[in-house]
Amino acid sequence: MSDDQWFPIIHKDRCVGCGACIAQCPTQALEQRGGKAALVWPERCIYCADCETLCPHNAIEIPYLVCLPTSHNRKVS
Amino acid sequence: MQIVERLAELPYFAALAPAQLTALAQHCQPRAFPAEGSIFLEGEPAAGLWLIETGRVKIHKVNPQGEEHILHLLGPGNTFNEIAALDGGPNPADATALTPVQLWLLPSAALHRLLQTDALLSYRIIGILAGRVRMLVGQIEDLALYSVTIRLARFLLKQLDDPALSGPGVTRAAIAAHLATKPETVSRALRTLEQAEAIQFDRHRIIIVRQDILRTIAAL
Ligand code: SF4
Ligand code: SF4
């Protein structure tokens, strides 16, 4: 997976559109779309994981890659 | 750093006059241990108060089931074994060097002499110890965190051996399910490993910067 494909995953089936994550995201990366949270501005996301932590319905998941210092210097396109 | 300066930085001795600090510093003995070297064992008579000059130390305990728990991960400027140094009892836990370490040992006898002659210092130390007792009461609830931290270290190392395991990315919820705990505990365990300088976060990457530290924690 290339670098620019790592983003919070919003499970629409679990999201109830309460807006808590949208209000708390420090970079305003999230917005409401069709009554659900959506990562409308992915380039703003700083991967702070606040949205994942605070969502009361566990609707957001932040994926991580476990790696060594050398492998992360490798340029992926 | 000079031992006098180190001592002056400790909350215990902040009230001491420069002459008292110098007198105390004269009793401090330098000690060095290699990585994984045992500094002391639980139950042995306590040698005194230890102060870390360089390197990292873990304070750990083995429960009756043979499982080990890390109680503290300490670094430069931190002290340990003050309780045993003060009450003259045995060491309450094991202390082991995580990296090569340089330490200062303030023998119990020197500390006791000072306490007998300085009421203000005694008062200060009582205050600090009372604060520790409060903290320990809170930490009892954290025993679960220690065991999760150890299992998390093992989990992360396993990801390295088999990158396919983390496939498209591993989430806190997935780790929590794997370790039979809650995502909040995983977050706290990740922070513990970060503070131990075993891992670093770089956006979506959990970088294992010190495999040796992670392996030491994992082997507990
Ligand atoms: S906090 Fe959770 S449920 Fe609420 S809008 Fe965000 S994703 Fe949906
Ligand atoms: S990870 Fe942080 S920056 Fe990214 S969407 Fe969630 S709250 Fe916003």
Side-chain angles (χ1 to χ4, degrees):
Chain A
M1 204 147 56
S2 78
D3 257 20
D4 52 12
Q5 283 171 343
W6 290 86
F7 291 110
I9 300 159
I10 302 170
H11 298 279
K12 303 275 181 204
D13 52 330
R14 283 181 242 159
C15 172
V16 299
C18 71
C21 59
I22 299 167
Q24 289 300 314
C25 170
T27 60
Q28 287 87 45
L30 301 162
E31 281 183 20
Q32 197 108 346
R33 286 287 183 276
K36 311 267 177 181
L39 186 67
V40 174
W41 306 99
E43 68 282 6
R44 288 186 189 165
C45 172
I46 54 167
Y47 236 74
C48 67
D50 283 357
C51 54
E52 181 193 54
T53 308
L54 66 82
C55 172
H57 301 277
N58 299 319
I60 304 188
E61 284 196 301
I62 312 272
Y64 290 95
L65 175 72
V66 181
C67 61
L68 287 170
T70 41
S71 56
H72 100 276
N73 291 331
R74 193 165 25 112
K75 202 89 198 130
V76 262
S77 56
Chain B
M1 195 186 276
Q2 290 281 314
I3 176 65
V4 179
E5 291 167 38
R6 275 276 188 229
L7 290 174
E9 278 178 3
L10 297 178
Y12 299 109
F13 305 131
L16 290 188
Q20 281 174 306
L21 276 177
T22 313
L24 203 55
Q26 278 164 1
H27 292 286
C28 290
Q29 305 163 4
R31 296 286 163 90
F33 293 87
E36 291 175 38
S38 169
I39 300 164
F40 57 69
L41 296 174
E42 180 176 351
E44 286 179 348
L49 171 72
W50 295 86
L51 170 61
I52 304 175
E53 181 65 35
T54 59
R56 300 191 64 84
V57 170
K58 71 172 178 202
I59 309 298
H60 51 120
K61 226 171 150 63
V62 183
N63 69 12
Q65 290 80 45
E67 294 170 331
E68 275 190 287
H69 290 296
I70 303 180
L71 299 175
H72 300 289
L73 292 166
L74 305 170
N78 291 143
T79 53
F80 55 99
N81 226 30
E82 37 276 86
I83 306 283
L86 286 168
D87 72 5
N91 299 318
D94 292 356
T96 305
L98 278 176
T99 63
V101 291
Q102 287 182 311
L103 308 172
W104 292 100
L105 172 64
L106 174 59
S108 304
L111 191 61
H112 290 173
R113 268 198 302 278
L114 189 72
L115 286 173
Q116 279 162 16
T117 53
D118 192 325
L120 185 65
L121 176 71
S122 301
Y123 185 72
R124 222 186 157 81
I125 289 183
I126 290 168
I128 291 171
L129 290 177
R132 286 267 173 109
V133 173
R134 283 180 189 278
M135 206 180 74
L136 279 172
V137 171
Q139 270 199 355
I140 292 169
E141 287 149 29
D142 280 7
L143 273 180
L145 176 64
Y146 300 127
S147 94
V148 171
T149 306
I150 293 161
R151 285 183 284 141
L152 175 64
R154 289 180 195 155
F155 175 86
L156 292 177
L157 288 166
K158 210 152 58 180
Q159 303 295 307
L160 276 189
D161 293 342
D162 186 0
L165 277 179
S166 43
V170 63
T171 64
R172 275 172 235 254
I175 299 175
H178 191 83
L179 303 183
T181 186
K182 292 175 294 189
E184 302 88 85
T185 313
V186 171
S187 297
R188 290 167 65 206
L190 281 166
R191 262 201 306 279
T192 306
L193 293 179
E194 194 183 13
Q195 280 160 10
E197 289 166 18
I199 62 166
Q200 258 172 26
F201 282 92
D202 175 21
R203 199 168 180 276
H204 63 275
R205 297 183 193 87
I206 296 174
I207 307 168
I208 298 180
V209 281
R210 289 289 302 271
Q211 256 194 86
D212 53 339
I213 296 179
L214 205 56
R215 280 189 201 285
T216 309
I217 295 171
L220 289 175

